[in-house]
Amino acid sequence: MDVKSRNYLLMNRQALEKDIKTSYIMDRMISDEVLTLQEEEKVKQQNTQKERAAMLINIILTKDNNSYRSFYNALLHEGYRDLAALLQDGIPAISSGNRKSSMDGMTSYVKTILCEGGVPQRPVVFVTRPKLVDAIKQKLCCLGSDPGWVTVYGMAGCGKTVLTAEALRDHQLLEDYFPGGVHWVSVGKQDKAGLLIKLQNLCSRLENDSTLSQRPPLNIEEAKDRLRLLMLRKYPRSLLILDDIWDSWVLKAFDNQCQVLITSRDRSVTDAVAGNKYEVHVESGLAHEKGLEILSLFVNMKISELPEQANCLVRECKGSPLVISLIGALLRDFPSRWEYYLKQLQNKQFKRIRKSSSYDYEALDEAMSISVEQLNDNYKDYYKDLSILPKDVKVPTKVLCILWDMETEEVEDILQEFVNKSLLFCDRNGKSFHYYLHDLQLDFLTEKNRNQLPELHKNIVNQYKKYYKLNTPVPSQEDCMYWYNFLAYHMAGANMQKELHDLMFSLDWIKAKTELVGPAHLIHEYVEYSSILDQKNGTVRENFQEFLSLNGHLLGRQPFPDIIQLGLCQPETSEVYQQAKLHAQRETGAFYLEWINKRSLKNLYRLVVRPHRDAVYHACFSKDRQRIASCGADKTLQVFKAESGERLVEISAHDDEILCCAFSADGEFVATCSADKKVKIWNSRTGQCRCVYEEHSEQVNCCQFSNRSGQYLLATCSNDTFIKLWDLNKKYCRNTMMGHVNSVNHCRFSPNDEFVASCSTDGTVKLWEAHSANELKSIEIKDFFKNADDQPDDVEVLVKCCSWSRNGDMILVVAKNKLLLFDVKTCDLLTQVIVSHHSTIQYCDFCPGDELVAVALSHCSVELWNIKSLSKVAYCRGHMSWVHCVAFSPDGSLFLTSSDDQTIRIWETKKVCKSSDAVLKSELDVVFHNGEVMVLAIYNQKHLQLINGNTDSVNMQTAAQESTISCCCLSEDLKFAAFGQESGTIKVLQLLDGKVLKSREAYRTSVQHCRFTSDCQTLISSAHDSVIQVWNWQLSECVFLRGHKEAIKDFRLLENSKLLSWSFDGTVKVWNITTGNTEKDFACHGGAVLSCAVSPDGSKFSSTSADKTAKIWSFESSSVLHELKGHEACVRCCTFSPNNKLLATGDDKGEIRIWDILTGALLHFCSPVTVDEGEPTHGGWVTDLSFSPDSKMLVSSGGYLKWWNVTTGESLQTFYTNGTNLKSIHVSPNFKVYVTVDNLGILYVLQKL
C-alpha cells in the first residue's frame, strides 16, 4: 500500500473504529477479492464492535492499494460518506492500463477505473444473467461518442443496479468507448436539497486531485454548470451512471451533453431531456434453477443438498433477485430458519424480511410501497383497484373499462402511467392490450389493502352486473374469457353468497363456461369456494361437482354434448336433474330423454378426465396426492390437478409414443420414457426439460424414481434387455444391469430403495442390488404355467409388471392371467390367483395397506383382489377399451386407471369395495306390453332376469345355470321365456315361477339366436353352424333347415310360416318352417351378409354386407332392384321406413345413409359433423337402426345412441351411455321408449320427455 494511503488510514483510525459496523463492509471487500473468508472470520471472532473494526483496519494495513480503494468504496456505499470523505485524499493514483487479468476475468485497469468511479462491487453472491448484461453493453456501444441516455428500467428488486455494474466490468468497452472513466452516483428519491448534496459530492469527487480547491456549488444551476465543464474538459468520453432515478426533473441537472446511463423503475423518466435515447428492460423473474443457485451460494451448499423448503422458497420469491438474495443472506446468518422464512413469504409478511444486505430499503414492503407513494392521489385509487386482479393473469383493457366505467382510451392512459413506473406490465397482443402485475407487486397490494379487498371485489362484480345486466359475455368480446374464468373468484372474494350460489348452480352458466374452457376449472371452483357455497346446503354443491367430475370427458369434446340431456341422467334427487328437467320442459320442440331405470346405478369413480387425444398408457399420483401425471400415444406429458382435472402442464415431450411417466419423491420432477429410445426429465411445475438420456438402444418401456425424497435416482428398462440407473445430478448412466435375454417391460425400486425388481419377456423376474447393480435373485415365472400334461407351456410367458409390498418382504408379479405373490428372501411362491379366463392382466399395483391389489385387464375393466383371502372384492367398470395402467395414491384412499379410450378415471377405494358385481350381457329381449317395458336379460353370465323397465324391479330370476347363457327371448304374451347356452343346450321356462318346462341339447356349439313364433309353441334357433332348428317344444318335434354353407348370421320370421335367414356364405334364403324346405335362394353378396330388413308391405327386403354394399331385392322376382354403393366400410345394419319410401343403412365408420327405395338414390348422410381427431362420428360402428312411425325420425345405436331428423340428416339428440359398443336398440311402437345394454352390462330404459 502507498505510504500516503497508509498514513490516511492511521490518521483517521480512531474515527473509523468508533463508528463502522464491519459486516456489510466486509461483504463488499470479499466480493472485490481483497479480503478472504478466513480474515472475515478473524474479524468476527472479536467481542465488541470497536474491536472488530480495529481488527479489520489492521488487516487492511497489511494489504495493497486495491484493498484501500475497496474499503473506501465500501464506506461510501454503506452510508459512511463522512468517513469516506476523510480517506478520499489518500486514494492511490490509478496505474497505467494494466491488462493482466484477475481471477474473476477483470483486468487491473478495469478494477481501478470502477473503484475510482464508485461503481458498486459484485454482491457477495452473484449469479450471471448474460443476455441482459450483453443488452446493456450493446446499448452503451450505440451511444458511440455522441451524448445520449441509456435507461435500464424494471420493477423494484429486479437486479437493475447489479446488472448495470456487471456490464461495466468489460475492459474493451471501457477502453474503446469510455476511456475517460465512469462515475457512479446513487441518486434515489430526492428533494432539491438532497439533489444539491449529490451534485456537490460528485463535483468534489471529480475535482479530487485538482490543484485549485473550489468552494462547493451553492445551487443546482451552478452545480450543473460546474459538472458540465468538468465532464467536457477533465473527463471527456466518460460515462456518468445515475442509479435509481425517480423523477424526470432530477435528470435536468445532469443534462449537459454527456453520456449518461440511468437505472429507474420509471421507463418514461427521460422524456424531459433531449438527446439519443436507448432502453433496456430488465425482466422481473429469474429462472427457478438460477434462484436455487443463488440460495446454494449463500448457504455454501450444493443445489442437490438444499433442504426441501428451498424449491418452495424460490417459488414464493416469484423470481425476484432481490427477494432471493434477502432470504439467502438471512439464511446464511440463521441456517435453521428455512421453514420460518418460507412461512413469512407465504403469509406475505414482507416487514419480517428485513434488510440483510446493502439494499437501500429497510424491508421488502418499503421497497415496493415507495413506488406507489409517488403516484398522485387519483392514480393511487386506481392502482388500489388492481389489488383484486388474479395472479398470473393478463387482463384485457375492456375489463378495466367496465370496472372504472370509462372509455378505452382513458383507461389505457391511466394504465400506461403505471407501466412507465414499472408498477404494471403490458402485453401488446395484436390490436388489444393486456395488463398484469408481477406476483410480488400483487402480494404487496393484497397485503396492504387486505381490509378493503371484499369491497373492491364487490365493486367489480357490481360493475359487471351493471354492464351485462341479465346477459352473459359472448366469445367474440375480448373480456369474455376473463369473466368466465374469474367472475366466481370476485364473488367469493366479496363473500357474495347469493350471487355466487346463483352463478355456480346455473346450468346456463355451466354450459357456457364448459363450452369455452372445459369442466376442470369449474370443478376447481366448487372445491375452492365450497365454504361459501355450502353455507345453506352442501348437497347442491356436491351434486354439481359430481356431475362435472363424472361427465368431464364428454364436456371436453366436440361437438359439445347437450348439457340438459346429460343433466337428465343424474339421480332424480339431484339439483342438476331438477334444473335440467325444468329446462327440457320449457324448450318446446326439443328432443330429450329420461333414463327411467337409472335409480339402481351407482357411480364408483369420483373424476373422469380426458387429457389426451389418443390412448393413455400410464398415469401416476404425486406423493402429496394433489397432482397426476399422464402420458400416451399422442406423445404428450400432461400434469393436472387430481381434485378437478385442471391442466397444470402440457408438454409435447417425445418424437414417438410415451410409454411411462413417474414423479420424483418430492414431486419436483417428472420422468418420461418413450419408443423414441429417450428418457427425459422435466420440471413438473414449469414444464422445462432438465435433461435427456439417450443411452438405451431400443424403446424404453418403464421409468421409476427411488422413494426417498431429495435423492434423484431413476431406474429405466428397455427392449434392449438392460435396466439402467441414473443420478439426475450426473449426465450419464450410473449403473447398467445386465442379465435379461429379452425385452424388459417393467422395473420398480423396493420401498427402502435398496433393490430394483425387473420383469421381462424372457419369463423371469430379477432382483438387483441398487447400489452395486449386481443381480441377487432370478425367478423363472414361466415354470408356473403348465399345460394339461404338467409340462411347461410352450407359449411365451411375458411378465408384464410387478409391485412390492409396503415392507418390501413380498413382491407381486403379473403374467398372462395370473397374479403370483413371492417371498423376496426365499423366492418361494406364497400364493397365486387366476384372475380371468377371458383376458390378460395389463398392470397391477399393491395398495399401501398390503391387502388389496388392483388389476387392470384387457377387457376394459379393473378388479380389486384381497391377496390374503384370495377373493375378488370389487369389479370396476367404466372404461370403453383396454386398461393399460392402475395406480394407488400414496395413502391408498384413491386409485386411478388409464385406458385406450383416452380417459383417466379416479376411483375411491372404499366406495368401490362396497359395490356389487352385477353385469348384464348385451343379448336381451324386450316386449312392450300395455305401457310396460318388460326386459329379459342375462345376468352375471349364468342367470336369467325378467326386469320391469318402468320400475327397475326384478320380477323373476333363475337359479345359476351349469353353462353360460348366450342368448334369450320372450314370448309375446309374456308367459314363456327361452334361452340358449354356450354348451349348445336350449331351455324353455315359465315366467310365472321360473320353472324350466323343456330342455333340449340342440347344438355342439354356442347357441347364438332364439325366437318364439307368434303362437309361442315353436322356438327357432341358430348356433355357430349352418343349420337352423325349428323346435315345437310343446310336441317335442324338431325341423332342421339345412342349406347354408357357412354359419347363420341371423334370421327373421315372415308371415305364413315363412322364415328369412342370412349367412356368412353371402346368401339369403326363404324357408317354409313347417316343411323345412327352401322356397327362395338369393346369392346376395361376395362377402358375409351382416343384416337384412323386410319392407312394411312385405314385397322387398334389403341386405347389407362386409363387401361395403347394400342391396334391395324383390321377393316376387327374386331379383336385385338396386345396388347401393358408397359406404367406405362394412355395412352392418339396415331398416325400412314405415311409409315404405326410405331405407337407412349404417356402416363401421359410423356413417348412416338414407336411400330412396323407388330409385335407389342417396338422399342424405347422417352424422356429417366434424369431431375430435381420431374419434368416429358415431363413436364406432353403427349396429342398429329404427324409424319413427311417421318416418321423420331415425334412432341409431353404436358407440352411443343418436336420434336424427330424416329430412335434413341433422342430429337431434345424443345419449352418451356409460359404456360403449351397443349391439342393438329395442324401440316401442310409438317411438317413445328405447332399450339397450352397453358393454359394461348397464341397462338403459329411455323414455322421450
Side-chain angles (χ1 to χ4, degrees):
M1 185 183 294
D2 288 355
V3 174
K4 181 182 174 185
S5 303
R6 185 180 176 80
N7 287 340
Y8 265 87
L9 261 180
L10 292 168
M11 217 164 56
N12 297 295
R13 179 172 186 151
Q14 193 172 354
L16 290 167
E17 289 177 359
K18 182 180 177 183
D19 286 346
I20 64 171
K21 293 180 181 177
T22 56
S23 177
Y24 299 131
I25 289 171
M26 288 195 293
D27 281 351
R28 290 187 173 275
M29 294 181 74
I30 289 168
S31 71
D32 283 345
E33 296 180 1
V34 298
L35 195 70
T36 67
L37 291 172
Q38 289 79 10
E39 288 166 338
E40 180 192 35
E41 196 57 41
K42 198 173 177 182
V43 172
K44 283 183 175 179
Q45 285 171 358
Q46 306 308 307
N47 294 324
T48 65
Q49 179 183 312
K50 187 173 182 180
E51 287 171 354
R52 286 192 287 275
M55 177 59 72
L56 177 62
I57 292 166
N58 285 340
I59 291 168
I60 294 169
L61 287 167
T62 65
K63 294 180 176 286
D64 61 7
N65 289 342
N66 277 335
S67 62
Y68 186 97
R69 291 191 195 95
S70 176
F71 182 55
Y72 167 78
N73 280 305
L75 290 173
L76 205 59
H77 284 281
E78 289 300 330
Y80 300 107
R81 290 180 172 81
D82 52 340
L83 294 176
L86 297 175
L87 300 181
Q88 185 171 313
D89 292 342
I91 296 173
I94 300 173
S95 58
S96 61
N98 182 357
R99 282 182 174 270
K100 186 180 176 185
S101 266
S102 66
M103 282 174 67
D104 64 359
M106 284 202 298
T107 62
S108 300
Y109 167 73
V110 169
K111 291 185 91 167
T112 305
I113 291 289
L114 299 189
C115 203
E116 283 294 310
V119 176
Q121 289 88 3
R122 278 182 181 148
V124 177
V125 168
F126 174 73
V127 175
T128 183
R129 294 159 81 185
K131 281 187 181 176
L132 285 166
V133 171
D134 289 346
I136 296 169
K137 288 181 186 177
Q138 185 186 356
K139 298 302 181 188
L140 287 172
C141 293
C142 288
L143 287 173
S145 55
D146 299 326
W149 309 80
V150 174
T151 305
V152 179
Y153 71 95
M155 66 174 279
C158 66
K160 303 181 290 292
T161 301
V162 173
L163 291 166
T164 299
E166 189 62 22
L168 299 174
R169 294 186 178 96
D170 185 307
H171 188 112
Q172 205 69 45
L173 177 77
L174 296 180
E175 192 171 67
D176 294 352
Y177 291 92
F178 309 111
V182 296
H183 313 288
W184 187 290
V185 182
S186 295
V187 182
K189 181 68 184 160
Q190 299 294 343
D191 56 14
K192 290 192 175 180
L195 178 62
L196 179 59
I197 292 170
K198 293 280 179 186
L199 285 163
Q200 287 171 340
N201 287 343
L202 178 60
C203 291
S204 172
R205 252 168 64 193
L206 297 177
E207 294 167 343
N208 69 350
D209 62 347
S210 176
T211 50
L212 298 171
S213 180
Q214 298 191 54
R215 64 169 176 79
L218 299 177
N219 55 53
I220 289 174
E221 283 303 315
E222 185 184 342
K224 181 179 177 180
D225 283 343
R226 189 178 299 180
L227 183 61
R228 180 172 55 80
L229 290 170
L230 282 166
M231 296 297 285
L232 186 67
R233 295 174 183 174
K234 193 172 178 186
Y235 298 98
R237 296 194 65 201
S238 64
L239 177 68
L240 181 61
I241 301 108
L242 307 176
D243 186 29
D244 198 20
I245 294 291
W246 284 79
D247 301 297
S248 54
W249 65 267
V250 170
L251 284 190
K252 290 181 180 177
F254 299 92
D255 187 8
N256 47 29
Q257 294 297 297
C258 61
Q259 295 178 315
V260 185
L261 183 150
I262 66 168
T263 71
S264 179
R265 304 180 193 187
D266 189 346
R267 179 185 182 183
S268 62
V269 76
T270 56
D271 289 353
V273 292
N276 297 326
K277 295 170 189 173
Y278 304 95
E279 291 180 349
V280 177
H281 178 220
V282 178
E283 291 114 354
S284 50
L286 276 177
H288 189 83
E289 283 70 23
K290 288 277 184 191
L292 287 174
E293 189 182 340
I294 290 174
L295 276 185
S296 70
L297 290 169
F298 265 112
V299 298
N300 196 24
M301 295 167 76
K302 293 178 182 176
I303 291 177
S304 58
E305 295 170 352
L306 291 172
E308 283 184 44
Q309 295 95 331
N311 280 301
C312 300
L313 267 171
V314 171
R315 274 199 297 276
E316 288 297 329
C317 290
K318 322 296 187 194
S320 165
L322 163 67
V323 187
I324 294 171
S325 298
L326 286 177
I327 296 291
L330 290 166
L331 285 167
R332 183 183 57 193
D333 296 336
F334 304 102
S336 62
R337 291 190 181 178
W338 289 88
E339 193 66 37
Y340 173 76
Y341 290 124
L342 176 58
K343 281 180 181 171
Q344 301 313 316
L345 276 175
Q346 288 171 334
N347 297 330
K348 317 292 184 272
Q349 295 295 322
F350 299 124
K351 285 185 172 64
R352 304 260 181 104
I353 300 165
R354 304 198 63 78
K355 179 172 176 177
S356 184
S357 75
S358 57
Y359 194 59
D360 291 343
Y361 303 102
E362 279 300 316
L364 185 54
D365 64 324
E366 186 188 338
M368 290 188 276
S369 66
I370 199 160
S371 296
V372 180
E373 292 307 314
Q374 301 312 304
L375 298 169
N376 69 42
D377 290 342
N378 282 348
Y379 279 59
K380 281 180 192 173
D381 287 338
Y382 289 131
Y383 196 63
K384 186 203 296 180
D385 286 341
L386 304 185
S387 307
I388 54 166
L389 294 187
K391 276 192 178 180
D392 302 318
V393 174
K394 296 179 179 178
V395 181
T397 313
K398 177 77 179 292
V399 171
L400 297 163
C401 292
I402 292 170
L403 173 61
W404 294 331
D405 201 8
M406 289 183 183
E407 295 295 321
T408 303
E409 292 75 13
E410 293 178 275
V411 170
E412 285 176 352
D413 288 346
I414 293 168
L415 297 175
Q416 191 57 43
E417 182 72 15
F418 301 150
V419 171
N420 286 342
K421 289 182 165 40
S422 297
L423 290 169
L424 188 68
F425 297 91
C426 179
D427 182 15
R428 288 169 171 78
N429 183 12
K431 293 181 181 177
S432 62
F433 289 3
H434 287 67
Y435 298 90
Y436 61 99
L437 288 161
H438 185 273
D439 281 2
L440 278 172
Q441 292 170 325
L442 189 55
D443 287 347
F444 164 73
L445 273 179
T446 306
E447 189 60 31
K448 183 180 180 186
N449 303 309
R450 182 164 295 285
N451 295 332
Q452 299 170 62
L453 290 180
E455 202 55 42
L456 294 172
H457 279 293
K458 188 174 183 180
N459 183 39
I460 195 170
V461 173
N462 289 335
Q463 289 297 102
Y464 166 86
K465 288 163 70 178
K466 176 183 169 185
Y467 185 85
Y468 280 106
K469 299 182 174 66
L470 297 175
N471 303 315
T472 50
V474 294
S476 58
Q477 295 167 310
E478 67 165 319
D479 61 324
C480 166
M481 291 302 289
Y482 181 86
W483 299 117
Y484 279 118
N485 280 319
F486 301 110
L487 183 56
Y489 157 77
H490 290 303
M491 287 177 174
N495 201 21
M496 300 171 81
Q497 196 255 342
K498 182 184 182 303
E499 287 84 351
L500 186 63
H501 190 282
D502 292 345
L503 183 79
M504 298 289 288
F505 300 153
S506 157
L507 275 182
D508 289 331
W509 177 259
I510 290 170
K511 180 178 186 293
K513 178 162 179 169
T514 48
E515 278 194 42
L516 280 173
V517 298
H521 191 259
L522 256 173
I523 297 169
H524 168 75
E525 288 178 327
Y526 285 122
V527 176
E528 186 80 7
Y529 310 135
S530 57
S531 58
I532 302 172
L533 294 169
D534 291 353
Q535 280 176 17
K536 287 186 178 177
N537 182 0
T539 310
V540 177
R541 192 260 312 159
E542 288 170 6
N543 290 164
F544 277 90
Q545 187 177 329
E546 183 178 79
F547 169 62
L548 288 170
S549 296
L550 302 184
N551 291 286
H553 59 303
L554 299 174
L555 294 169
R557 77 200 301 167
Q558 294 294 330
F560 193 80
D562 189 323
I563 202 162
I564 307 302
Q565 182 58 66
L566 290 178
L568 288 168
C569 295
Q570 296 303 292
E572 290 180 11
T573 54
S574 166
E575 178 70 20
V576 179
Y577 168 82
Q578 289 161 17
Q579 275 197 40
K581 190 146 189 181
L582 283 173
H583 273 79
Q585 289 166 344
R586 280 203 302 263
E587 289 188 38
T588 53
F591 188 94
Y592 287 110
L593 298 140
E594 182 92 79
W595 183 3
I596 60 177
N597 72 315
K598 66 184 173 219
R599 283 184 293 279
S600 62
L601 187 74
K602 291 175 183 167
N603 284 309
L604 303 179
Y605 31 86
R606 65 186 279 170
L607 181 67
V608 185
V609 289
R610 190 165 170 254
H612 295 271
R613 295 293 178 200
D614 210 331
V616 189
Y617 291 147
H618 198 84
C620 57
F621 286 97
S622 60
K623 198 168 185 178
D624 61 6
R625 214 190 79 170
Q626 300 301 307
R627 294 175 295 155
I628 290 171
S630 64
C631 60
D634 65 359
K635 308 173 192 174
T636 68
L637 168 68
Q638 309 280 349
V639 180
F640 55 90
K641 289 183 181 176
E643 185 75 51
S644 65
E646 188 174 2
R647 182 175 284 138
L648 300 171
V649 175
E650 179 177 19
I651 309 165
S652 294
H654 286 267
D655 301 323
D656 207 334
E657 295 183 337
I658 306 175
L659 304 176
C660 188
C661 58
F663 273 108
S664 59
D666 60 5
E668 283 303 306
F669 301 105
V670 178
T672 56
C673 60
S674 165
D676 67 7
K677 309 173 190 175
K678 295 175 187 173
V679 178
K680 297 187 181 184
I681 311 297
W682 309 88
N683 183 305
S684 70
R685 299 181 192 279
T686 65
Q688 288 180 315
C689 185
R690 170 167 171 157
C691 49
V692 181
Y693 299 129
E694 300 186 60
E695 291 186 32
H696 281 293
S697 58
E698 293 190 42
Q699 79 172 31
V700 189
N701 296 313
C702 181
C703 55
Q704 287 281 313
F705 274 104
S706 54
N707 299 299
R708 270 196 291 255
S709 220
Q711 176 186 319
Y712 299 121
L713 198 61
L714 181 76
T716 61
C717 60
S718 163
N719 281 3
D720 62 12
T721 74
F722 300 139
I723 303 107
K724 289 180 180 286
L725 289 185
W726 314 84
D727 186 331
L728 263 58
N729 297 314
K730 297 175 182 174
K731 290 184 179 179
Y732 303 104
C733 172
R734 194 180 94 169
N735 276 323
T736 300
M737 301 170 179
M738 296 175 280
H740 285 293
V741 294
N742 208 331
S743 304
V744 188
N745 303 308
H746 193 251
C747 57
R748 273 196 183 180
F749 279 97
S750 62
N752 61 7
D753 293 332
E754 289 183 13
F755 308 108
V756 175
S758 60
C759 307
S760 170
T761 307
D762 64 13
T764 67
V765 171
K766 291 183 185 290
L767 302 182
W768 313 80
E769 192 177 60
H771 181 70
S772 65
N774 291 331
E775 181 181 329
L776 294 175
K777 301 172 193 277
S778 183
I779 307 171
E780 294 282 344
I781 301 298
K782 58 191 173 194
D783 290 349
F784 298 95
F785 289 84
K786 303 286 179 68
N787 60 21
D789 302 323
D790 211 32
Q791 295 299 311
D793 205 324
D794 290 337
V795 182
E796 180 182 60
V797 177
L798 190 155
V799 188
K800 276 285 182 75
C801 83
C802 60
S803 183
W804 293 83
S805 62
R806 183 170 50 178
N807 59 10
D809 290 346
M810 299 178 290
I811 190 163
L812 186 72
V813 178
V814 159
K816 289 190 175 181
N817 60 349
K818 279 187 184 180
L819 288 174
L820 302 114
L821 187 66
F822 293 95
D823 183 293
V824 171
K825 287 181 182 175
T826 64
C827 293
D828 291 341
L829 179 68
L830 300 175
T831 189
Q832 63 176 314
V833 180
I834 297 175
V835 171
S836 169
H837 291 287
H838 303 285
S839 62
T840 56
I841 303 173
Q842 300 297 304
Y843 206 85
C844 73
D845 196 32
F846 242 130
C847 182
D850 272 0
E851 282 194 12
L852 284 183
V853 173
V855 180
L857 298 165
S858 58
H859 67 40
C860 320
S861 67
V862 173
E863 294 177 358
L864 262 58
W865 287 75
N866 185 312
I867 204 69
K868 289 185 178 175
S869 64
L870 304 185
S871 59
K872 181 165 69 172
V873 294
Y875 174 80
C876 310
R877 52 187 183 169
H879 284 293
M880 299 187 190
S881 190
W882 281 37
V883 183
H884 288 288
C885 171
V886 58
F888 281 100
S889 61
D891 62 0
S893 63
L894 303 174
F895 64 95
L896 60 77
T897 54
S898 67
S899 166
D900 261 354
D901 67 10
Q902 305 177 11
T903 68
I904 295 166
R905 292 168 192 257
I906 293 99
W907 314 71
E908 292 184 50
T909 310
K910 281 185 181 175
K911 193 189 275 191
V912 164
C913 289
K914 290 176 184 174
S915 67
S916 61
D917 181 11
V919 179
L920 301 183
K921 284 188 74 168
S922 54
E923 291 77 15
L924 52 75
D925 197 15
V926 181
V927 170
F928 300 96
H929 182 71
N930 295 334
E932 287 196 328
V933 184
M934 302 309 295
V935 181
L936 187 69
I938 302 162
Y939 167 75
N940 283 0
Q941 306 281 344
K942 293 189 176 183
H943 299 269
L944 208 60
Q945 278 188 348
L946 182 66
I947 302 165
N948 185 318
N950 304 68
T951 61
D952 200 30
S953 57
V954 177
N955 290 6
M956 183 276 300
Q957 179 174 313
T958 66
Q961 302 299 306
E962 66 283 355
S963 170
T964 300
I965 302 173
S966 52
C967 63
C968 62
C969 67
L970 277 169
S971 65
E972 289 180 17
D973 59 7
L974 292 176
K975 289 183 179 179
F976 307 107
F979 60 90
Q981 296 176 261
E982 287 187 1
S983 63
T985 303
I986 300 171
K987 294 182 182 179
V988 177
L989 56 85
Q990 192 168 265
L991 284 176
L992 189 64
D993 55 9
K995 180 184 175 184
V996 174
L997 301 175
K998 285 287 174 71
S999 177
R1000 169 180 165 79
E1001 292 182 15
Y1003 299 93
R1004 292 180 181 175
T1005 59
S1006 176
V1007 183
Q1008 293 301 294
H1009 302 284
C1010 59
R1011 284 191 191 90
F1012 283 105
T1013 54
S1014 56
D1015 62 6
C1016 308
Q1017 293 184 12
T1018 303
L1019 187 70
I1020 305 170
S1021 60
S1022 66
H1024 274 309
D1025 63 18
S1026 60
V1027 179
I1028 298 170
Q1029 297 190 16
V1030 182
W1031 177 34
N1032 187 320
W1033 60 274
Q1034 292 185 336
L1035 299 176
S1036 298
E1037 294 174 354
C1038 190
V1039 176
F1040 296 90
L1041 310 183
R1042 304 179 196 275
H1044 285 294
K1045 294 187 174 107
E1046 290 184 40
I1048 308 295
K1049 179 67 174 76
D1050 206 347
F1051 56 83
R1052 172 178 176 153
L1053 279 159
L1054 304 175
E1055 294 177 352
N1056 304 321
S1057 300
K1058 302 288 192 297
L1059 183 102
L1060 186 76
S1061 68
W1062 52 98
S1063 163
F1064 286 96
D1065 63 10
T1067 66
V1068 175
K1069 298 182 188 293
V1070 179
W1071 307 83
N1072 183 315
I1073 61 171
T1074 309
T1075 64
N1077 295 330
T1078 306
E1079 297 202 346
K1080 290 188 183 292
D1081 201 342
F1082 300 85
C1084 291
H1085 295 273
V1089 181
L1090 300 179
S1091 73
C1092 285
V1094 178
S1095 64
D1097 63 5
S1099 65
K1100 308 176 194 70
F1101 76 91
S1102 60
S1103 62
T1104 69
S1105 171
D1107 66 10
K1108 305 180 185 178
T1109 67
K1111 293 180 182 179
I1112 301 174
W1113 302 81
S1114 165
F1115 277 120
E1116 189 178 344
S1117 64
S1118 300
S1119 60
V1120 65
L1121 300 175
H1122 302 291
E1123 184 173 2
L1124 311 176
K1125 294 180 177 179
H1127 282 286
E1128 296 176 8
C1130 295
V1131 188
R1132 194 157 293 277
C1133 56
C1134 59
T1135 187
F1136 285 94
S1137 64
N1139 64 7
N1140 216 31
K1141 292 181 179 178
L1142 308 171
L1143 177 74
T1145 56
D1147 68 22
D1148 285 1
K1149 279 189 76 176
E1151 188 176 88
I1152 299 164
R1153 294 179 175 227
I1154 311 284
W1155 312 84
D1156 185 306
I1157 293 173
L1158 194 62
T1159 64
L1162 176 64
L1163 300 176
H1164 293 297
F1165 290 98
C1166 288
S1167 66
V1169 288
T1170 54
V1171 291
D1172 287 356
E1173 181 186 345
E1175 184 180 311
T1177 51
H1178 205 293
W1181 299 351
V1182 181
T1183 56
D1184 203 1
L1185 295 161
S1186 183
F1187 277 100
S1188 61
D1190 62 4
S1191 304
K1192 291 181 178 178
M1193 288 173 67
L1194 180 73
V1195 61
S1196 61
S1197 63
Y1200 30 81
L1201 298 176
K1202 285 187 85 74
W1203 285 258
W1204 308 91
N1205 182 318
V1206 172
T1207 310
T1208 62
E1210 293 175 356
S1211 172
L1212 297 171
Q1213 188 55 270
T1214 302
F1215 186 92
Y1216 292 98
T1217 49
N1218 287 19
T1220 185
N1221 298 348
L1222 313 175
K1223 284 193 176 178
S1224 63
I1225 180 160
H1226 298 262
V1227 184
S1228 65
N1230 62 4
F1231 204 70
K1232 289 189 175 178
V1233 181
Y1234 315 87
V1235 183
T1236 190
V1237 171
D1238 64 19
N1239 67 334
L1240 305 179
I1242 299 169
L1243 175 68
Y1244 301 85
V1245 181
L1246 309 177
Q1247 185 171 303
K1248 181 179 180 294
L1249 269 177

